[in-house]
Amino acid sequence: MKSGWWKGLVVPVIVILLAEVAMRVEGSTSLSLAAPSDIAVALLRSIADTSLLAATRDTLIAAGAGLALGGLMGLMLGILFGIASTVDRLMEVSVELIRPIPSVAVLPIAMLVFGFGFRMEIAIVAFSCIWPMMILVRSAMAGIEPRLLEVARALRLSTWQRLYTIVLPAALPRIIVAFRLAAAMALVVAVTVEIAVNPLGLGYGILVAQQGLQPATMLAYLVWTGLLGWAVNALLSVAQHRLLGRAATVGVTR
Amino acid sequence: MDAMTTSNAVISFERISLAYGSRAIISDLSLTIRRGEIVCIIGPSGCGKTTALRMAGGLVRPNGGTVRFMGQPLTVPRRDVAVVFQDYGKALLPWRTAASNVSLALEAAGTPRAERADRCYALLAKVGLAGHEHKYPTEMSGGMQQRIQIARCLAQEPSVLLMDEPFGALDAMTRQGLQDEMLALVAETGTTVLFVTHDLEEAVYLGDRVIGLLPRPGRIGIELNVDLPRPRNQLETREMPEFLRLRRALFDFIERAEQ
């Protein structure tokens, strides 16, 4: 670890201490704020009675399944649009019309089709993950060194060989970056759907605590959700470097 | 064209022309490259020398005329016609090691996996890269990277090597070393070579024939036979009166062509 890594912690620690002192001195009865120590206690209590863990599991299942589904669809569409310029041009208007629709706006339709529960949430997460994945994969394909494609032609690689020996490895670093972006989005959308309508997961936990006038528990869920997002990103970042090794840095940095 | 040259022709351009829109790149170019010959093409920038090479490789198709390989019309690239690109840094797969880059040509040809490693090692040894098989291109010097690309082309077991200013980006010492190695490899295998360069001395030093193209549109302006003994020698060959005469002739040609 770099020396001085702790410097980044100085500000949060001071803010937490100030909040603690302020809440104690004031003797707050706020319904939206709670002292950091109370939040920590609420967090531990929610972990102990497994309600937080169950909610985490549900949110991760929905976000993960949606990410896998939408990410895969986005990947395939991106590859298709990237290599078949005719298809890309044919689909351009349709894609540009559907893409800007906020994922939460398709909630009512998804509810009609799937009702409450995992399937509806997964569908919405998938819908929101398709687009960043598709756009970034398509541009990754367009960013492949033309000379490499010429080498593929000169060697008479088959379409399939060209795809998996040249195109995908060349685009892989950017595809991974696209996937990390989609993963962050998946979590955001999952929690949003839970807060808005779906009675499961962390978002629903936040909502229930808020309506039960328990600001400490509500903020505990919030802190936990933040930690979860951070952990998912850190995990993917480590996986990116472990799995790809050298290829992870090739193409992105240059 | 008499029967002798026709039967020996490996690549022939028959009244080739190429235009992008109204801009003529090459006009009415006829050229025959015979088996085992090293033909160098020189010319000022914009004369279409790289385009001519790409047409010989089937990477570009002319608007008019026919490119023939062994008498047959050439319309798509062939595996036995290998192209060495100038920008070796872009033509190699950066995520693959030297050996793995050479292996790409074998994979394309459908060589069984079990044979690939041995052949890659042998080819890398041939271009002087023994012991560097597991290095990545970015860990190697420009000269070494170009050797990888040459090894990959040799893996295609080509009957024709098309070289597009392959040594243009290298320093003078490395370039001379690679020139001699290339000549030795070609002499050993009897490969036919089409070599594009902007270095007039390089053209005379390597070639059996030097073709000078005129620009806008590209067409043949001069054709010189190089009667210098082989094997060539960086010092002796370059001091021969015939070498100096040819260099002078090409120099004058370029000066006129650029006006």
Side-chain angles (χ1 to χ4, degrees):
Chain A
M1 203 170 274
K2 280 182 293 186
S3 65
W5 57 272
W6 51 270
K7 282 178 188 161
L9 292 176
V10 170
V11 171
V13 167
I14 289 176
V15 169
I16 288 172
L17 286 176
L18 281 176
E20 184 71 32
V21 169
M23 293 301 284
R24 293 294 166 213
V25 169
E26 194 72 15
S28 168
T29 54
S30 166
L31 291 178
S32 55
L33 296 177
S37 59
D38 292 339
I39 296 174
V41 169
L43 185 63
L44 290 175
R45 200 185 320 117
S46 302
I47 292 173
D49 69 10
T50 71
S51 60
L52 184 64
L53 300 180
T56 306
R57 180 199 61 205
D58 290 351
T59 297
L60 284 181
I61 286 174
L67 173 65
L69 206 65
L72 201 66
M73 284 162 70
L75 178 69
M76 294 198 300
L77 286 176
I79 291 174
L80 178 68
F81 293 177
I83 54 182
S85 53
T86 319
V87 180
D88 189 33
R89 243 165 282 145
L90 276 175
M91 294 302 294
E92 191 182 357
V93 172
S94 314
V95 165
E96 289 307 312
L97 283 178
I98 300 174
R99 192 169 67 88
I101 298 175
S103 48
V104 183
V106 294
L107 252 180
I109 304 174
M111 276 173 66
L112 280 178
V113 178
F114 298 111
F116 293 112
F118 280 109
R119 290 201 303 163
M120 176 263 282
E121 190 171 327
I122 290 169
I124 292 172
V125 172
F127 175 80
S128 61
C129 288
I130 289 174
W131 313 114
M133 199 72 187
M134 190 204 82
I135 302 271
L136 289 173
V137 169
R138 184 176 61 182
S139 82
M141 310 278 286
I144 293 171
E145 172 57 48
R147 183 66 83 213
L148 286 182
L149 298 177
E150 201 157 69
V151 168
R153 273 182 72 203
L155 289 174
R156 303 211 60 182
L157 293 178
S158 67
T159 308
W160 179 240
Q161 277 180 322
R162 185 168 54 112
L163 194 64
Y164 77 86
T165 59
I166 296 199
V167 172
L168 287 182
L172 192 60
R174 292 198 222 175
I175 292 177
I176 298 286
V177 170
F179 184 77
R180 285 177 59 187
L181 205 71
M185 186 169 273
L187 204 62
V188 169
V189 172
V191 171
T192 308
V193 171
E194 288 159 3
I195 289 179
V197 288
N198 212 20
L200 56 82
L202 292 168
Y204 185 62
I206 293 174
L207 191 71
V208 167
Q210 180 232 349
Q211 291 178 346
L213 309 181
Q214 296 170 295
T217 309
M218 179 186 79
L219 291 170
Y221 269 80
L222 202 69
V223 169
W224 180 257
T225 306
L227 289 174
L228 191 67
W230 173 82
V232 166
N233 189 45
L235 208 69
L236 287 173
S237 173
V238 170
Q240 177 182 357
H241 289 279
R242 283 279 162 80
L243 293 176
L244 292 180
R246 188 175 184 81
T249 53
V250 172
V252 169
T253 51
R254 290 189 302 156
Chain B
M1 202 182 290
D2 59 89
M4 187 61 201
T5 49
T6 312
S7 65
N8 266 338
V10 177
I11 286 185
S12 51
F13 288 1
E14 291 166 10
R15 309 201 61 179
I16 296 297
S17 56
L18 177 74
Y20 291 130
S22 61
R23 199 161 61 99
I25 308 294
I26 287 180
S27 144
D28 203 18
L29 178 69
S30 292
L31 173 64
T32 302
I33 301 167
R34 293 181 288 270
R35 189 188 305 279
E37 204 180 19
I38 302 178
V39 174
C40 295
I41 299 186
I42 54 128
S45 51
C47 72
K49 52 189 192 290
T50 291
T51 309
L53 177 130
R54 289 161 60 82
M55 288 205 274
L59 291 165
V60 177
R61 289 182 67 175
N63 301 137
T66 316
V67 181
R68 289 183 189 276
F69 177 84
M70 303 278 194
Q72 301 299 314
L74 180 82
T75 50
V76 288
R78 302 174 54 98
R79 284 208 195 96
D80 54 352
V81 177
V83 187
V84 180
F85 296 101
Q86 179 186 8
D87 42 5
Y88 42 79
K90 292 177 178 171
L92 296 170
L93 310 184
W95 59 87
R96 285 192 174 206
T97 61
S100 189
N101 261 292
V102 177
S103 173
L104 183 69
L106 301 177
E107 289 163 34
T111 309
R113 183 180 293 270
E115 293 173 27
R116 285 185 217 147
D118 285 347
R119 287 189 53 192
C120 291
Y121 281 48
L123 286 163
L124 285 172
K126 204 172 204 174
V127 297
L129 288 180
H132 299 285
E133 294 87 357
H134 299 293
K135 283 191 187 162
Y136 288 91
T138 47
E139 296 168 338
M140 303 168 102
S141 68
M144 291 164 90
Q145 291 184 38
Q146 192 57 292
R147 284 162 202 258
I148 302 177
Q149 205 194 169
I150 291 171
R152 183 174 69 194
C153 287
L154 294 178
Q156 294 174 247
E157 296 183 336
S159 50
V160 180
L161 262 179
L162 305 175
M163 306 184 90
D164 185 10
E165 303 193 29
F167 311 140
L170 303 172
D171 65 82
M173 288 304 289
T174 311
R175 190 183 319 164
Q176 294 197 346
L178 275 170
Q179 285 169 352
D180 289 336
E181 284 173 43
M182 189 210 92
L183 286 180
L185 281 171
V186 167
E188 187 187 318
T189 53
T191 313
T192 308
V193 178
L194 180 61
F195 194 104
V196 165
T197 179
H198 59 257
D199 180 342
L200 306 183
E201 289 196 28
E202 183 172 66
V204 176
Y205 183 74
L206 296 175
D208 294 311
R209 236 177 345 140
V210 180
I211 311 259
L213 297 185
L214 291 165
R216 286 174 292 273
R219 60 205 187 279
I220 292 183
I222 193 172
E223 184 171 345
L224 296 172
N225 284 312
V226 182
D227 281 322
L228 292 167
R230 290 189 188 272
R232 295 192 177 157
N233 178 289
Q234 292 288 353
L235 288 176
E236 288 165 21
T237 303
R238 287 173 192 268
E239 285 169 355
M240 288 177 178
E242 177 68 0
F243 183 94
L244 298 174
R245 185 186 72 79
L246 290 166
R247 191 184 73 162
R248 179 59 190 252
L250 290 176
F251 194 86
D252 290 343
F253 164 74
I254 288 289
E255 221 171 28
R256 267 181 283 122
E258 279 180 342
Q259 276 166 8

